Amino acid sequence: MKADMPATNRSRPSMSAMLRDAAAAAFVAALLAFPLLGFKLNATAQGLHLDMRLSWVPIAAGIVFAGRLLLTLGGQYVAPIIARRVAPDVDAIRRRLPSRSAYMVGIAMAAVAIALPWLPFADRNLIDKATLILIYVMLGWGLNIVVGLAGLLDLGYVAFYAVGAYSYALLSQHFGLSFWICLPLAGLLAGAFGVALGFPVLRLRGDYLAIVTLGFGEIVREVIINWDKVTGGPNGLSGIERPSFFGLPMLPTSMAPPGSTTFADFFGIAFSPNQRIWFLYYLILALALATNLFTQRIRRLPLGRAWEALREDEIACRSLGINPTLVKLSAFAIGASFAGFAGSFFATRQGFISPESFTFIESAIILAIVVLGGMGSQIGIVLAALLLVGLPEWFRELEQFRMLAFGAAMVLIMLWRPQGLLSHREPTLRLSDVPRKLVSESAT
Amino acid sequence: MSAASPLLTVEHLTIRFGGLVAIDDLSFSARSREITALIGPNGAGKTTVFNCITGFYSPEVGRIALRREDGREFFLERMDGFRIARDAGVVRTFQNIRLFPGMSVAENLMVAQHVALMRASFFSVAGFLRLKSYLDAERQAVERARYWLDKTGLLADADKLAGSLPYGAQRRLEIARAMCANPALLCLDEPAAGLNPRESNALNALLTDIRDEHGIGILLIEHDMSVVMQISDRVVVLEQGRSIAQGTPVEVRANPEVIRAYLGVEDEAAVASVIGQGSAH
């Protein structure tokens, strides 16, 4: 199905050819399904049993037959229509400056997110999943500053997430600092690590930069694993303090430290473990929205414009007097500090962290969210996080097919929308919106 | 009213790439409110001179001094590229246009005012709080962008993506962007390349206007003789890294060395007709 090939240039296969093709596909499917689906290993009290499930084989073959037939028919009649609609000049889409409908969509999405816990079908499970998705949305928005705006390909972003998580855990365990004090400290520390990474890679771009950042991410993880006196090594850190509602612990009265008022008592309501789940949800929602608002605003400031200019052409930036070192380091530092905030939230939510949570695959997922969303598009990142983090959560039963689906989704996206789900870029300034000054000063 | 001392003084500039001497003991100067053209056959080293002046190469021998009208003096051969643009006020354009293609035309001009705006936004803090001082600075920057868009005839395209503009418009935008960076010396690397005669005439008008109205110096590399002969006040001719002639366009046109360099023969009549036609456009 080549979308860019005009339909008229293709010889149309006859119906019987299509049927033959579908039958051949079904035959292959049956061959594969016989060993894969035809038997099932059951563990019972008596030991392992091999059950026959031969009826599944024809079902699988039938599905493949119908699917293959639909695919060829679709390729025949539907694809040209889709191609005409979906694949007009990619460049033209990229070059077009969009309307401000994105703004309205963003407001609507934020409203849904705020109202979510109050909806009738919202249970603990849903809020938990939504919280997890929001962590990735926040990480995606943070990485978007580095990758989407400044154009610096960072494959080790999870390192800053880890720095944030461990700084909160260690600061709270050793110094008894509360979550609200640790949050900015974790951001600062992660930002400092961002600068530390930024310095040696100032001259690198593209693939080379990606390799070094990949290495940096692994270094941080290895240090955490091996420095077990401080970080607890592979066992991680447990018993991390849960967040309090601005000083009011979210615990039942019986478990609260003596002399303190719990959240439930303070507001005169009955204790429920759901309160903490809700609180965590709103906390990450607030953090994520803050990240988004920050990005939206800084894009319109000289620093944000310089990030984007650096992505477009570094040499031109230099020739206009922009210090590329400062611009790059600030992007690394600010992007990293958002990962630090998200990391300390992660630590307080889980109550337990270990190096396993900060492997390369996390960096890859976050980067995939940014790229899939359409570099630089805030709403695209939300959609991509829903797809890449949300779907696997809801279809946990199919977990073994997760990487398969992940790969297939990536291939499809690269074929159809190589520029990402939503690729439009909102300009940071529209000259037509800025009224002329009444008394125009000489502009020299 | 040309200033007493030259804006840019290049002295004994020499640069080697391995065994190749690209620039050999070159000295020349450029003044404020004048257009100085750097001409020469292909490979004469014109762009290399530009790259030395704007900090892309650092020469082994020689001095490049820039004296601004407020008396400050900079030695460009020792400065980072971005400092040359930021502090010394030497802003250049490129032979193969370097815009920010994915950003709008107006945004390109806002990026050019980064240094001033960054200062006004107090490293983004004042900008974040949307203090009045920053908003005023921003409004002024927009006005300045509008002024240069008007000058270069791009006002209607302000909200289009820079990369989507036609070639001639991109060339003009690059000049507008350089002017927004508030230069003392504007260095243009073949601004007329690829322009049609009408666009080329418009460019002449724009450059003389910049020279006369904005009081800055222009250093120009150009192949198009109609541009060079019509608008430049001084011409420096390079051949194989050496300066073979300097002077007014009329002087240079009559110089036998120049004629030999351009045609490789000493047939003055043929050359005079070629160059003469160029200036008559």
Side-chain angles (χ1 to χ4, degrees):
Chain A
M1 288 206 310
K2 273 232 163 113
D4 51 338
M5 202 187 281
T8 43
N9 286 358
R10 225 177 317 173
S11 61
R12 296 185 174 223
S14 67
M15 195 65 196
S16 67
M18 281 193 265
L19 283 173
R20 266 202 309 280
D21 175 56
F27 177 69
V28 175
L31 278 185
L32 282 173
F34 179 68
L36 289 175
L37 293 175
F39 302 97
K40 184 168 164 54
L41 204 59
N42 272 334
T44 61
Q46 284 79 40
L48 293 174
H49 279 271
L50 197 61
D51 290 337
M52 297 291 268
R53 257 192 341 195
L54 289 182
S55 61
W56 283 44
V57 178
I59 295 175
I63 292 174
V64 169
F65 181 81
R68 178 73 203 177
L69 196 61
L70 279 176
L71 211 60
T72 21
L73 280 174
Q76 192 77 82
Y77 301 106
V78 186
I81 300 170
I82 296 176
R84 235 171 289 140
R85 254 161 198 270
V86 182
D89 189 7
V90 165
D91 225 33
I93 299 175
R94 210 180 107 75
R95 298 268 171 251
R96 194 190 62 206
L97 296 178
S99 68
R100 51 197 55 184
S101 57
Y103 180 72
M104 298 312 293
V105 174
I107 296 284
M109 284 170 105
V112 170
I114 291 169
L116 187 69
W118 307 90
L119 297 179
F121 54 84
D123 53 3
R124 194 187 156 138
N125 187 16
L126 179 83
I127 300 300
D128 249 343
K129 282 173 182 164
T131 308
L132 184 74
I133 292 170
L134 279 174
I135 292 180
Y136 281 91
V137 169
M138 178 168 177
L139 287 170
W141 279 341
L143 183 61
N144 184 40
I145 292 176
V146 186
V147 178
L149 295 185
L152 304 163
L153 188 50
D154 185 350
L155 281 180
Y157 193 61
V158 81
F160 308 119
Y161 186 43
V163 167
Y166 274 87
S167 14
Y168 168 60
L170 293 172
L171 285 172
S172 108
Q173 286 188 344
H174 292 291
F175 301 102
L177 298 179
S178 83
F179 176 74
W180 295 102
I181 295 173
C182 290
L183 187 70
L185 288 179
L188 273 180
L189 269 168
F193 269 75
V195 173
L197 165 66
F199 258 113
V201 300
L202 279 172
R203 288 166 178 278
L204 304 179
R205 281 191 78 87
D207 310 355
Y208 306 100
L209 178 65
I211 301 278
V212 176
T213 52
L214 175 71
F216 182 80
E218 287 304 293
I219 290 171
V220 168
R221 198 170 63 88
E222 288 295 324
V223 167
I224 291 173
I225 290 178
N226 290 300
W227 197 12
D228 41 5
K229 268 191 201 129
V230 175
T231 62
N235 299 327
L237 294 169
S238 54
I240 300 167
E241 197 181 285
R242 299 311 194 124
S244 57
F245 187 85
F246 303 99
L248 302 173
M250 306 197 79
L251 295 167
T253 319
S254 53
M255 282 167 68
S260 65
T261 323
T262 67
F263 172 75
D265 287 347
F266 185 84
F267 286 98
I269 48 176
F271 172 78
S272 145
N274 283 349
Q275 283 160 3
R276 197 178 70 211
I277 306 294
W278 281 34
F279 174 63
L280 284 172
Y281 173 76
Y282 277 117
L283 182 58
I284 186 66
L285 181 62
L287 284 173
L289 287 180
T291 313
N292 183 28
L293 290 179
F294 178 89
T295 311
Q296 301 281 3
R297 181 155 277 192
I298 198 131
R299 272 192 67 212
R300 287 169 172 75
L301 290 180
L303 183 60
R305 291 208 185 101
W307 286 340
E308 290 198 77
L310 191 77
R311 176 194 66 203
E312 298 285 320
D313 195 325
E314 186 173 338
I315 289 176
C317 278
R318 217 180 274 263
S319 77
L320 292 170
I322 297 174
N323 182 347
T325 307
L326 269 185
V327 174
K328 274 188 195 176
L329 286 184
S330 62
F332 269 122
I334 290 175
S337 54
F338 282 113
F341 296 141
S344 61
F345 172 83
F346 176 77
T348 191
R349 171 176 181 252
Q350 303 291 108
F352 164 74
I353 49 172
S354 77
E356 264 171 57
S357 309
F358 308 107
T359 50
F360 168 67
I361 188 74
E362 296 295 317
S363 284
I365 289 177
I366 303 164
L367 185 67
I369 287 173
V370 175
V371 174
L372 186 67
M375 304 267 252
S377 161
Q378 300 289 91
I379 291 177
I381 285 170
V382 178
L383 293 181
L386 279 169
L387 267 176
L388 291 184
V389 183
L391 280 188
E393 281 298 314
W394 263 282
F395 294 100
R396 269 205 177 269
E397 306 81 63
L398 305 174
E399 196 166 4
Q400 46 193 329
F401 300 109
R402 192 168 157 174
M403 289 324 271
L404 190 71
F406 200 83
M410 279 302 186
V411 170
L412 287 180
I413 283 288
M414 286 304 124
L415 278 177
W416 277 325
R417 293 194 65 85
Q419 72 279 39
L421 289 177
L422 294 178
S423 61
H424 71 234
R425 173 182 173 278
E426 197 62 38
T428 62
L429 167 88
R430 279 174 204 276
L431 206 66
S432 43
D433 289 353
V434 185
R436 264 173 196 281
K437 255 197 289 189
L438 290 178
V439 190
S440 184
E441 288 161 30
S442 147
T444 345
Chain B
M1 47 175 258
S2 105
S5 64
L7 178 68
L8 177 83
T9 319
V10 175
E11 285 170 341
H12 306 296
L13 182 71
T14 302
I15 191 162
R16 295 188 188 87
F17 297 118
L20 176 83
V21 183
I23 303 291
D24 187 9
D25 197 24
L26 172 71
S27 301
F28 71 94
S29 61
R31 290 172 186 279
S32 242
R33 297 185 172 80
E34 276 191 8
I35 296 178
T36 309
L38 209 53
I39 66 169
N42 282 330
K46 304 180 296 287
T47 299
T48 309
V49 173
F50 257 43
N51 284 341
C52 287
I53 294 172
T54 52
F56 285 87
Y57 299 151
S58 41
E60 290 127 53
V61 182
R63 202 176 72 155
I64 308 169
L66 188 117
R67 184 188 287 276
R68 297 193 69 153
E69 290 204 335
D70 57 13
R72 285 181 298 158
E73 195 166 20
F74 299 90
F75 296 104
L76 307 185
E77 77 278 5
R78 296 189 211 141
M79 290 168 75
D80 270 345
F82 78 89
R83 288 215 169 79
I84 290 176
R86 190 185 67 186
D87 304 331
V90 177
V91 181
R92 70 174 291 181
T93 65
F94 296 86
Q95 201 170 344
N96 40 355
I97 309 170
R98 282 183 175 273
L99 292 170
F100 305 121
M103 300 172 85
S104 80
V105 169
E107 283 176 311
N108 267 268
L109 300 190
M110 294 302 278
V111 171
Q113 303 179 61
H114 174 86
V115 177
L117 281 175
M118 198 68 178
R119 231 165 256 158
S121 80
F122 198 72
F123 298 97
S124 305
V125 177
F128 243 93
L129 305 173
R130 303 191 69 74
L131 298 185
K132 192 173 174 301
S133 62
Y134 172 71
L135 293 181
D136 285 348
E138 191 184 40
R139 206 167 310 129
Q140 222 165 331
V142 171
E143 266 332 291
R144 193 191 182 91
R146 212 196 296 269
Y147 174 86
W148 282 108
L149 287 176
D150 198 24
K151 280 265 180 200
T152 48
L154 292 168
L155 206 47
D157 301 321
D159 294 330
K160 288 189 189 145
L161 285 181
S164 70
L165 293 184
Y167 187 80
Q170 293 200 10
R171 282 241 174 258
R172 291 204 303 280
L173 176 58
E174 209 187 9
I175 295 173
R177 189 180 67 178
M179 285 311 294
C180 276
N182 200 14
L185 177 69
L186 178 66
C187 298
L188 304 172
D189 197 345
E190 294 199 28
L195 299 190
N196 63 36
R198 200 169 44 84
E199 287 174 322
S200 185
N201 276 336
L203 177 76
N204 285 356
L206 176 67
L207 294 185
T208 44
D209 178 81
I210 289 175
R211 173 191 62 189
D212 300 339
E213 300 293 318
H214 297 276
I216 67 167
I218 297 179
L219 186 62
L220 186 76
I221 291 179
E222 194 46 76
H223 276 300
D224 187 337
M225 284 300 154
S226 72
V227 174
V228 173
M229 294 299 157
Q230 272 178 35
I231 65 169
S232 48
D233 301 297
R234 287 178 58 78
V235 180
V236 177
V237 190
L238 285 186
E239 194 206 2
Q240 296 185 351
R242 288 179 307 111
S243 153
I244 55 171
Q246 300 192 13
T248 64
V250 180
E251 289 165 12
V252 163
R253 203 189 310 172
N255 187 314
E257 275 281 294
V258 179
I259 294 164
R260 191 192 47 75
Y262 264 86
L263 285 191
V265 289
E266 295 188 24
D267 185 353
E268 289 186 27
V271 179
S273 74
V274 169
I275 300 181
Q277 273 167 16
S279 65
H281 263 279

